[in-house]
Amino acid sequence: MSSKQKKLVALLADVDATTVEHAKEMGLSPDEFDRATALIGRVPNKVELGCISAMWSEHCSYKSSRVHLRRLPTTGPRVLVGPGENAGVVDVEPEKANGWAVAFKVESHNHPSYIEPYQGAATGVGGILRDVFTMGARPIAAMNLLRFGRVDHEKTPALVDGVVRGIGGYGNCFGVPTVWSTAEFDRAYDGNVLVNAFALGVLQKDAIWKGNASGVGNPVMYVGAKTGRDGIHGATMASDSFSEGQEQERPTVQVGDPFKEKLLVEACLELFARGSELLVGIQDMGAAGLTSSAFEMASRAGSGVALDLDQVPMRETGMTAYEIMLSESQERMLLVAQRGKEAAVRAIFAKWDLDCTVVGAVTDDGLVRLTRGGVEVCRLPAAPLADEAPRYERPHVPPPPPPPLSRDDTRALLARPADAIRDVLLSPTLAPKTWVYRQYDREVGAGTLMDGTQASAALVRVPGTDKAVAMALCCNSRHCSLDPHEGAKRAVVEGYARVAAVGAIAIGVTDCLNYGSPQVPEQMGQIVAGVDGIAEACRTLDVPVVSGNVSLYNQTDDKAVLPTPTVGVVGVVDDVHKVAPAQGLKAGDVLLRLGEPPTSVDGSFAVWQHAGRKGGLAKLDLSSTTALCALVRALRTGGNVLDARPVLAGGLATTIFEVARQCDLVARATLPEGEDFLTGFLGEDRLTFLVVVDNQGIDAVRARCAAAGIECAVLGSLGVAPSFRLADAQGERVFDADFKALVDAAEAIVPALVSGPRARSAS
Amino acid sequence: MTVAVITFPGSNCDRDCVTAVTEACGGAATRVFHKETALPSSTTAVILPGGFSFGDYLRCGAMAARSDIMPAVQRFADSGGPVLGICNGFQILCEAQLLPGALLRNKDGRFHCEEVELDVVGRSPLLTYAPGETIVLPIAHGEGNYFADDDTLAQLEREQRIAFRYKALDSDGNGVVNGARQGIAGVIGGPKRNVIGLMPHPERRCRALLGGDDGQPLLRALVTSTFALSTRGAA
């Protein structure tokens, strides 16, 4: 909804009847307006239409994706809470009746982050943290997946700087370690950045809270920050495409206060600890603010709520009911307390200097009734609006396959193979993100065993136990562009392999589906294929999807982002002592490759760099993937290997360089006889692992591989020679570079792109 | 005997300090809320933990230094009781004038979370490291750029009250990571050298499992403290 169109709605008073024109301004189609009118038996007034349009926005209702999301596997013996709640909950101690569980979810904050990068990213973190602690969990880890436009686009430096500062500014102050971050650059994101934020918390599995407004007469209480005019209709903005000049939408971006949220989490956890003696249900006010929390809480419990909006704490004067209901001011929660316990609830929040006000009560009429100044301004059925949002089976066609690779496309690659390797290692997308990580407190909580600067997945201890939770946030958008089904499938495989490499078994998945417009059949086709790809991988690997988010309309005018189904995989390690980094890697340690070698450079980062979206992507065999990951996991927990990494974007060259850089030892590697240099070092069509073993341990690993029928090749070793060297068996093709200079060049890439001549000072 | 860990609104390392004291050092610890006006009578040492007390709004540490519990902490320190301020706790000790100097924004304007090498340099009963020892601890701060005027720096040096120095110094002799004057990462105060403030986080390096145990001697010195206020309840 662009600013020039807002005039009609602005002229309307809260209780004035609306028309189809008003509905269009609020992002509803004429059909949806008719549906709403039919549902309530009359024309909605302005407040009512505002509530309906927010609830039925793509962002809140998943109206274009819901029919497809049903195909995801969402159940399993460890699943305690599946999709539909604020976050999914998975058991990490199935052997105990009242042991630990983890709550986690990933969510997008793409549109706001493009318009106002610092606050957009910060409130993305704040929102996902609230989703997690609303379930009763204390957040112990955060991750993010970022996508920016090409590095020489004029907006990129300020976007990178603002988003990274925003994520750090919020998470660091709140006190959650940000243990994983991935940032990539592609011109497809020039007009639409992606900011996907993940949070994970721990809770006792017999103390899970849900957003239920039950018990007629129980008080509905509002806690946290006051309501202002910020973020009004944010959910609707997030459900629309951008057009040029949309920076004027800044007023629809919320402003975050991480300190307030820190107080809120501590107060809520104190309240939860008192159990059902005080509390009935709780929900955060995220997208669509008070509207979605009121409707969803009543709908889940099959009850109604009556709210007196005059009681809502307000930051500004003269706010209308419409503004109060659609504000997306941050750090607010709605809760239903036990009747008569208001004072005890209030005392807990008062200890933390937070407002806590009774704003209404639970009713049995199934309605959400709102009054402002003594006048009823809204009377809508809760359940139908929340549950019976429109669902669309949008037309979709398979996205056209990429054009084939021609000889011209790969001529440069083949002619100068060493340059091809250097281009990959020094690409902004694959360059180290040390500059980013350094701005995140990765250790607050004192439970971080490994973060993304040290391993293929983050590993965080479950407090007070020997268990740890492994996690990674993944998507190879280039693969998804080449083949939306296979790419999404591989995103799950990547996460599964990453957690296996730190010794964890995957126990749950959360996803955030970032795509273009569902109203363009080719793009809808990408969404459908992406869901199917995730479903296929999750089913075969036996990992359920327990939470998620869909972000559509990531496009400017008619240019959409690369399909980016972000997949967060969470795994568990039962004994951290078995996988903890021992004494580190040392000179003389040996590099092995496990798994069948790549067969082609098709689908590789190197080809994308030189030719763009061309060629194809081979189908990955999932059953051999499972076996390979199981072996790596066993080697890791058995202490047979010192380090293990799945070989992913950028191929073996990138993985070897990453290990060398992180342990500050020079690597030298030679491919086995008969393998092509470029395919061996840059190919990504099959899944392999790079593992590092002590010189004495080679035979044991070889024997384990032989027993499992998995190929194992000795590639080389770590040492202190000055040059980093990759070669084929004949020594005909060689990449040889001064290690220190290569590391310095790689580390300089991200800081240089931010502090370049176009960068402006940050907020 | 308990280590009192003060919880201010926005403290986020208070629980980590309790865990380090109890799990890694075998001591006892109690969290004390900032609205209290007295320390528990069994208090033998005090930790002001890291975090963003009062959101670091106004000036980091400024509001916390004026909270209800601080007069009791002041009396405890003045009587010779061991007090450790970590990160935001260091900032609070400076704002409360229990330690000299101030912590400014990092020179490059950015938050830094990374491991740093530190030289242990000063003299304090709480510093049980070997003389001249180098240790590795993580920092995580946006405002760790230690500043004091020349006279104060000279006095700290003379009295051996610089507890830790960053090993990496720039050409002006200041800390590379944040610009701290003379690379000062921690200072010593109190009548019996019993107050230490430092920017790095010793509570995050108390177990090899968590990446190292170079922080343990500092926390262990608090745990083994037998200090007791002579007049119970005075604090």
Side-chain angles (χ1 to χ4, degrees), chain A residues 569-594:
Chain A
V569 176
V570 171
V572 64
V573 170
D574 282 330
D575 184 357
V576 292
H577 300 281
K578 288 186 177 164
V579 299
Q583 62 279 19
L585 306 182
K586 59 190 181 304
D589 287 342
V590 177
L591 305 172
L592 305 179
R593 185 187 62 199
L594 270 50

Side-chain angles (χ1 to χ4, degrees), chain A residues 138 161 165 172-173 175 257 259 262 350-351 353 435 438-446 449 461 580, chain B residues 9-12 15-16 23 33 35 52 54-55 57 109-114 138 140 204-205 207 209-210:
Chain A
R138 177 177 286 279
D161 187 53
R165 280 184 194 269
N172 298 349
C173 178
D257 179 353
F259 171 58
K262 170 65 175 167
K351 173 185 167 185
D353 306 320
W435 180 88
R438 201 181 275 148
Q439 297 182 60
Y440 302 150
D441 189 337
R442 307 187 301 278
E443 294 197 36
V444 60
L449 301 164
R461 186 182 169 216
Chain B
S11 292
N12 60 30
R15 294 153 45 85
D16 304 352
E23 262 190 18
F33 201 57
K35 290 180 179 173
F52 290 68
F54 294 91
Y57 300 152
R110 294 188 185 277
F111 189 94
H112 277 259
C113 175
E114 57 193 278
R204 299 182 182 181
R205 287 293 180 278
R207 300 180 73 184
L209 188 67
L210 293 169

